[in-house]
RNA sequence: GAGCCCGUAGCUCAGUCCGGUAGAGCAGCGGACUUUUAAUCCGUCGGUCGAAGGUUCGAAUCCUUCCGGGCUCACCA
C-alpha cells in the first residue's frame, strides 16, 4: 500500500531505465530547450482552417508529461501535457525514421518528453503536432493513476499531492484559483495605500488571539519560542510606528482540532487602517471582497456546495443582539438573564456550562442556530465584550464591543474591530487574561509588556481585521474541505 | 477527545449481510493494426484482502485490539 512498497510495475520500469542506459541513451538528459507550450499552438492556430494550418509550416518545440498513448503499430497518437494544457502529437514511423520510432517505443505514460514538429488537423478534427523529432527527457518509474477515473483515494491525494496534481486537472485549477485570489487581494490592498509587511512567525509571547500555541526552542538564544497564533500585536506596533495602513498575508499556527474548517496552520490576511473604526472597516471589506471575488472568478455571484452566494448586492448587516431577537421564542429575558439564556440553549441541545458568562452563552446560541443559515455575505456587529477581549468597547454601551464578523455560506470568513488603544485598559485586560491563565486556561493571553509600552507611545484610532484566506479559497473554488485548498494538509505520519 | 463509516491488484471498484478455490475494468507484458479520442481486437502476468490475535474443519467475510483515512460533534478561524 505504501509509496515505499516495491510494486511490480515500479521494479519493471526501473529495470527499463537500466536497459535504456545500456543502449547509450541518457534517461534523464537536461539539454533540451523548450520553445513553446501547448497553449501557444492552440492560440496560434485558432480561427484557421485545416488547410491554412497545414500550409502554415509552423515549427513547434514542446515538452511535457506523456499522458496517453494510442498505438497503431507503425504510428501512434499521444497526448502530452505541460503547464499550459494538453496537445495531441502524431508519432509516425515514416517521419521519425526507424531509429526515432524505436526510441519513442521506450516511452511510457508518465514520462517527460520533448518533441518538435508541425501542426495539422486530424480526420476527427483535433489540432495535432506531427512530430519530426522526439526525445525522452525524464523517465518516470512509477505508474500513474487510471486515466479515466483518476486518483480518488483521499489519503493518497493529500499525502502525495504531486500525484493528485498530475492526475486531476480540477485540483490544479483549484490551486491556480487560490493563487489568483491572493494576488488579487494584494493588488487591491496595494492600490489602497497599504504596505505589505512580514512580522515574526516565532514569537516569545504568542498574542493576538485566544488559542493554544505550538512551542519550539531556539538553542543559541536559549529560549522557548511560540509559533504565532496571530500577527495582530506586531502589526499594531507598526501602526504606532507610523505605517498607517499595513497588511500581512501569512501563516498562523494553532495547536487545536482539525476539521473540514480547521488546519493547524492556516493562512490569514490581517490588515490595519488608522483613522477608521469598525463601520468604515465593514464598508471597506465589502468593496474588497466584491472586487476580489469578481476578479478571481469573473462574477459577483457564485455557487458554494449547491447554494447561491451573492456578492453583488449590499451585504446584510445585523447587530448580534438583533439577530438573537429574531430567533423563535427568544425574548428579552433570554438576552438579559444568564439562567434564562442557559435554559434556552439547553432546550435546543446546545452544550453550555453554568460558568459561561452571558455573552458566551449568546455566542453559542448564535453559532448553532443562526450562523449556518447566513449564506449571502452578512455582517454581524456589536458583539458582547466578554467574548471580544481585544476589541474596543463601544463609547456608548460599555458591555458591547465595536466588533463585527462576516459570515458567508455559513462560514466565519472575517473578524474585525475597532482597536483598543487605551494602554491602561489594555493592561487591565492582560491582567485578567493572566489570571485566567493561572487558573488553567491555556488559551488565555500572556502579559505583553512591550505591547503596552507601544500603546503608551500612542496608537491612533485604528480598525483591524483578519480574513481567513483558506476559507475564502474554499468559497471561490467550491471546495467542501479546507484540505482541498491547502496543498499539503497535515496527516498523521505513517508507521512503517 | 467521542460517535458513525471506510481500508481488496499500480489505479477505479465488485465480493463482506448469509464463512466454502480472491474477481472485473483500466494500466502492464506479448501480438495485429499508419488519422486515433477511455482507440479496437487476440493472448497474458499481477494479491500479506490495512496489521495482529481469536472463533471455526475452513475467514476478505464473524469477534477483539491496533494502524491509517473520511464525516459529524466538541475546541477553534
Amino acid at each position: 500500500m505504501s509509496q515505499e512498497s516495491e510494486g511490480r510495475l515500479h521494479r519493471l520500469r526501473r529495470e527499463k531505465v537500466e536497459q535504456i542506459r545500456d543502449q547509450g541513451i541518457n534517461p534523464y538528459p537536461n539539454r533540451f530547450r523548450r520553445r513553446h507550450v501547448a497553449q501557444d499552438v492552440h492560440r496560434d492556430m485558432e480561427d484557421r482552417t485545416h488547410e491554412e494550418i497545414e500550409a502554415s509550416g509552423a515549427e513547434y518545440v514542446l515538452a511535457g508529461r506523456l499522458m496517453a498513448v494510442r498505438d497503431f503499430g507503425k504510428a501512434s497518437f499521444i497526448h502530452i501535457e505541460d503547464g499550459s494544457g494538453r496537445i495531441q502529437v502524431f508519432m509516425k514511423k515514416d517521419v521519425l525514421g526507424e531509429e526515432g520510432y524505436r526510441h519513442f517505443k521506450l516511452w511510457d505514460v508518465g514520462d517527460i518528453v520533448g518533441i518538435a514538429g508541425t501542426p495539422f488537423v486530424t480526420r476527427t478534427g483535433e489540432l495535432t503536432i506531427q512530430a519530426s523529432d522526439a526525445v525522452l527527457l525524464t523517465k518516470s518509474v512509477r505508474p500513474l493513476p487510471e486515466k479515466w477515473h483518476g486518483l480518488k483515494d483521499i489519503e493518497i491525494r493529500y499525502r502525495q499531492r504531486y500525484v493528485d496534481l498530475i492526475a486531476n486537472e480540477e485540483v490544479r485549477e483549484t490551486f491556480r484559483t487560490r493563487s489568483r485570489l491572493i494576488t488579487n487581494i494584494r493588488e487591491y490592498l496595494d492600490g489602497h495605500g497599504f504596505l505589505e509587511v512580514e512580522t515574526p512567525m516565532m514569537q516569545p509571547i504568542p498574542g493576538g488571539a485566544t488559542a493554544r500555541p505550538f512551542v519550539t526552542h531556539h538553542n543559541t538564544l536559549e529560549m522557548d519560542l511560540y509559533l504565532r497564533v496571530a500577527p495582530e500585536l506586531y502589526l499594531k506596533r507598526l501602526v504606532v510606528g507610523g505605517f498607517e495602513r499595513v497588511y500581512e498575508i501569512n501563516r498562523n499556527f494553532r495547536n487545536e482540532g482539525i476539521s473540514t474548517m480547521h488546519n493547524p496552520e492556516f493562512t490569514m490576511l490581517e490588515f490595519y487602517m488608522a483613522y477608521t473604526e469598525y463601520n468604515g472597516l465593514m464598508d471597506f471589506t465589502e468593496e474588497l471582497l466584491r472586487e476580489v471575488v469578481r476578479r478571481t472568478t469573473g462574477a459577483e455571484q457564485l455557487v458554494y456546495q449547491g447554494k447561491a452566494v451573492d456578492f453583488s448586492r449590499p451585504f446584510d448587516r445585523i447587530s448580534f443582539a438583533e439577530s438573537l431577537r429574531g430567533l423563535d421564542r427568544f425574548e428579552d429575558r433570554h438576552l438579559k438573564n444568564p439562567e434564562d439564556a442557559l435554559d434556552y440553549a439547553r432546550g435546543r441541545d446546545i452544550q453550555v456550562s453554568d460558568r459561561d458568562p452571558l455573552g458566551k452563552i449568546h455566542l453559542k446560541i448564535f453559532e448553532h442556530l443562526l450562523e449556518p443559515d447566513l449564506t449571502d455575505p452578512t455582517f454581524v456587529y456589536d458583539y458582547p465584550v466578554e467574548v471580544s477581549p481585544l476589541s474596543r468597547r463601544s463609547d456608548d454601551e460599555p458591555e458591547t464591543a465595536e466588533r463585527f464578523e462576516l459570515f458567508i455560506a455559513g462560514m466565519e470568513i472575517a473578524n474585525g474591530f475597532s482597536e483598543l488603544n487605551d494602554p491602561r485598559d489594555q493592561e487591565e485586560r492582560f491582567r485578567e487574561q493572566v489570571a485566567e491563565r493561572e487558573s488553567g486556561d491555556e488559551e488565555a493571553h500572556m502579559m505583553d509588556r512591550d505591547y503596552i509600552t507601544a500603546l503608551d507611545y500612542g496608537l491612533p484610532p485604528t480598525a483591524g481585521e483578519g480574513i481567513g484566506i483558506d476559507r475564502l479559497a474554499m468559497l471561490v473554488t467550491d471546495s467542501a474541505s479546507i484540505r482541498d485548498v491547502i496543498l499539503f494538509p497535515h496527516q498523521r505520519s505513517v508507521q512503517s
Side-chain angles (χ1 to χ4, degrees), chain A residues 10 15 79-80 82 116 126 144 149 153 183 238 256 265 327 345 422 442 484:
Chain A
H10 181 205
E15 286 165 10
H79 270 105
I80 63 171
D82 62 28
E126 179 162 351
L144 288 183
H149 297 95
D153 187 305
T183 299
L238 296 178
E256 285 166 354
E265 54 180 310
L327 280 168
D422 175 343
E442 285 182 72
D484 292 327

Side-chain angles (χ1 to χ4, degrees), chain A residues 281 383 403-406 412-417 464-468:
Chain A
L281 208 52
Y383 275 70
R403 173 189 175 199
F404 66 85
E405 293 195 301
L406 173 66
E412 184 186 337
I413 296 293
N415 179 23
F417 37 84
E465 178 172 344
I467 296 182

Side-chain angles (χ1 to χ4, degrees), chain A residues 2 121 125 187 201 222 349 428:
Chain A
S2 82
V121 178
E187 282 179 2
M201 311 282 274
E222 292 183 336
D349 290 331
E428 188 49 41

Side-chain angles (χ1 to χ4, degrees), chain A residues 233 237 421-431 447-458:
Chain A
L233 301 184
R237 282 175 171 97
N421 64 348
D422 175 343
R424 295 291 82 74
D425 188 353
Q426 180 70 69
E427 190 172 18
E428 188 49 41
R429 293 211 209 174
F430 272 150
R431 272 195 229 289
M447 174 65 74
D448 189 337
R449 291 235 159 262
D450 179 72
Y451 180 66
I452 301 292
T453 303
L455 292 188
D456 280 340
Y457 280 93

Side-chain angles (χ1 to χ4, degrees), chain A residues 343-357:
Chain A
D343 281 348
Y344 189 91
R346 289 193 171 125
R348 283 153 187 81
D349 290 331
I350 299 166
Q351 289 190 26
V352 281
S353 156
D354 289 332
R355 293 194 314 255
D356 285 342

Side-chain angles (χ1 to χ4, degrees), chain A residues 52-66:
Chain A
E52 285 168 347
I53 289 169
E54 278 175 47
S56 73
E59 275 268 340
Y60 290 96
V61 181
L62 301 155
R65 191 180 295 275
L66 181 57

Side-chain angles (χ1 to χ4, degrees), chain A residues 323-340:
Chain A
S323 74
L324 287 176
R325 279 203 194 89
L327 280 168
D328 187 41
R329 291 184 203 181
F330 193 95
E331 296 161 15
D332 257 15
R333 62 191 178 93
H334 298 117
L335 209 54
K336 287 172 183 146
N337 184 328
E339 270 142 45
D340 287 338

